[in-house]
Amino acid sequence: MKVLVVCPELPRPGRPNTLAPLVRQIDSLCEIGLDVKVLEVRGLKRLKYLQTLPRFWRLVRDCDVVHAHYAFCGWLAKAQWSRPVVVSFMGTDLMGVTRPDGSMVRRSQVVTRVASRFAKLYEAVIVKSEDMAQRLNGVRPFVVPNGVDFVRFKPIDRSAARARLGWDDQRLRVLFPGSPTNVRKAFPLAQEAISRASAQIAQPIETIVLKGVDPDLVPYVMNACDAMVLCSHHEGSPNVVKEAMACNLPVASVDVGDVRWLCDGVQGYEISSRDAGDLGTSLARLIQSDLPPLGRRRLTEIELDLKSVAEKVRGIYEHAMRQWRGNSSFTPSPPKTPEANRVGRSRPKMPLTRRDGGELVSVTRPKCARRRDPVNLKCDWITVLALRI
């Protein structure tokens, strides 16, 4: 199976960003036998989607399915009508961007409304959490959180991790995952909670900000800290929480995204209210606890390793291709090697589920969808692009 991934610019050495989990997902799809090409949307801020169109039209001819990440890339992926499109909503494209008071930015309100309505055009939609799924009306999305690289993110002796980073081994440290200037991450609340925890245990606590850190050093930073605090206003399925769990780093978090599903009742992890006192108490309790965190065991139980998630995503690609086969001109390309052919016939170990909990089934494309006027479809897309610009 040939897959064209359309996404924003990926992280590079010296230029880290938040899409490192996407890089690992792409690698895991290749490892299970898929032929994946990546089209990164680059260029001038307000013109880069138009600038990417010629490259997209050239590459889409040689794929079986297009997988777009983020709503804007999904709109770009629909600038053709010859291949099925799978869209992964990543968080802010459905949840919105908030102001310091928690209200949503007006431009973000428009984007989230349009993204929700356009979700009906895609052959399959993937969201990261049930909270995100509830933002889509009239669409039955697949809830598939990102997987975690268990090889990269693993428990490391704290003293060894601190020595690797050149840190003092005696100080208490709490990790804050995100930029202090990003209002969605609620850094002031995290600072106040850490201050309350410090007062309760009568020891100073240093705040470690996880921003602009080399991806290769992130596992060491997590293992070098005593706990992590998460208090974002909105999240989908926060990758940093799963990575912390893979390292068995204790986490005190507010109830946001799918954190409750991930952490509730798991030893070494606590869900708190958004009150700084409650969050600080949870943080202090975790720092002082002698019980070993069981985050890594929890991730294994719910199959959030990279390979398991890659198999689920492949199942969604196959579903999207079945949806699209009403178009007789579409013929999936055969695997290139016998090994790829063997891997390509395997199926996910667990049944894929939709928002309603039902098993994955084949659904016939409506005749009206098969016969959509290409000119009208293109005009629809251009209209949305105008909103983006």
Side-chain angles (χ1 to χ4, degrees), residues 176-188 191 207 209-211:
F176 174 77
S179 169
T181 60
N182 185 342
V183 296
R184 183 169 62 90
K185 299 295 184 179
F187 182 62
Q191 281 186 308
T207 303
V209 175
L210 190 65
K211 176 177 170 55

Side-chain angles (χ1 to χ4, degrees), residues 18 21-22 24-25 70 89-95 126-133 142-148 184-185 228 230 232 234-245 253 255-263 298-299 302-304 309:
T18 59
L22 175 55
R24 291 190 280 272
Q25 183 183 95
Y70 285 102
F89 290 108
M90 307 295 277
T92 55
D93 44 2
L94 273 187
M95 311 297 286
I126 300 173
V127 294
K128 306 304 179 183
S129 67
E130 184 62 31
D131 190 25
M132 292 178 66
F142 297 96
V143 180
V144 183
N146 287 336
V148 183
R184 183 169 62 90
K185 299 295 184 179
M228 186 177 84
L230 182 76
S232 305
H234 297 292
E235 293 284 354
S237 177
N239 295 302
V240 70
V241 171
K242 289 171 282 188
E243 292 164 354
M245 294 176 74
S253 175
D255 189 1
V256 63
D258 65 352
V259 172
R260 182 171 292 280
W261 172 68
L262 287 169
C263 300
R298 166 63 174 166
L299 294 180
I302 58 180
E303 294 189 316
L304 282 187
V309 172

Side-chain angles (χ1 to χ4, degrees), residues 340-356:
N341 188 52
R342 181 187 70 78
V343 176
R345 287 198 301 267
S346 65
R347 292 292 184 267
K349 295 180 181 178
M350 296 183 65
L352 290 164
T353 58
R354 293 180 180 274
R355 175 179 170 182
D356 59 4

Side-chain angles (χ1 to χ4, degrees), residues 47-276:
L47 296 176
K48 59 185 178 182
Y49 292 91
L50 282 174
Q51 291 174 317
T52 305
L53 267 177
R55 286 185 291 142
F56 172 71
W57 282 328
R58 184 171 62 252
L59 292 172
V60 77
R61 300 169 188 165
D62 188 36
C63 76
D64 298 321
V65 61
V66 181
H67 188 178
H69 294 263
Y70 285 102
F72 294 140
C73 292
W75 301 343
L76 173 64
K78 266 300 178 183
Q80 53 81 36
W81 45 90
S82 63
R83 294 294 184 269
V85 176
V86 177
V87 170
S88 286
F89 290 108
M90 307 295 277
T92 55
D93 44 2
L94 273 187
M95 311 297 286
V97 177
T98 56
R99 300 186 179 92
D101 62 1
S103 62
M104 192 181 298
V105 175
R106 177 168 296 183
R107 177 175 176 274
S108 184
Q109 292 176 356
V110 175
V111 170
T112 55
R113 282 199 299 266
V114 175
S116 178
R117 296 193 63 175
F118 262 67
K120 300 175 184 178
L121 295 179
Y122 309 125
E123 280 62 51
V125 173
I126 300 173
V127 294
K128 306 304 179 183
S129 67
E130 184 62 31
D131 190 25
M132 292 178 66
Q134 294 173 0
R135 303 295 179 104
L136 294 171
N137 295 321
V139 178
R140 298 168 63 194
F142 297 96
V143 180
V144 183
N146 287 336
V148 183
D149 186 345
F150 278 14
V151 176
R152 178 187 295 266
F153 292 94
K154 59 186 177 182
I156 303 172
D157 177 74
R158 184 173 295 158
S159 295
R162 291 182 172 183
R164 172 71 173 80
L165 298 170
W167 290 3
D168 176 8
D169 194 28
Q170 303 304 314
R171 302 187 65 178
L172 291 177
R173 294 175 174 87
V174 169
L175 185 65
F176 174 77
S179 169
T181 60
N182 185 342
V183 296
R184 183 169 62 90
K185 299 295 184 179
F187 182 62
L189 174 57
Q191 281 186 308
E192 180 63 23
I194 293 171
S195 176
R196 299 284 185 93
S198 177
Q200 289 185 37
I201 63 179
Q203 290 189 58
I205 299 176
E206 180 181 355
T207 303
I208 303 297
V209 175
L210 190 65
K211 176 177 170 55
V213 177
D214 186 321
D216 291 336
L217 294 179
V218 171
Y220 291 96
V221 173
M222 288 187 167
N223 280 282
C225 290
D226 296 274
M228 186 177 84
V229 60
L230 182 76
C231 47
S232 305
H233 292 292
H234 297 292
E235 293 284 354
S237 177
N239 295 302
V240 70
V241 171
K242 289 171 282 188
E243 292 164 354
M245 294 176 74
C247 295
N248 280 335
L249 174 66
V251 177
S253 175
V254 298
D255 189 1
V256 63
D258 65 352
V259 172
R260 182 171 292 280
W261 172 68
L262 287 169
C263 300
D264 197 23
V266 181
Q267 186 170 289
Y269 302 85
E270 293 198 13
I271 308 298
S272 168
S273 70
R274 297 195 65 84
D275 177 75

Side-chain angles (χ1 to χ4, degrees), residues 1 28-36 314 335 339-341 343-344:
M1 184 191 301
S28 66
L29 291 172
C30 294
E31 288 173 2
I32 64 170
L34 302 189
D35 183 358
V36 182
R314 174 164 58 184
E339 175 64 14
N341 188 52
V343 176

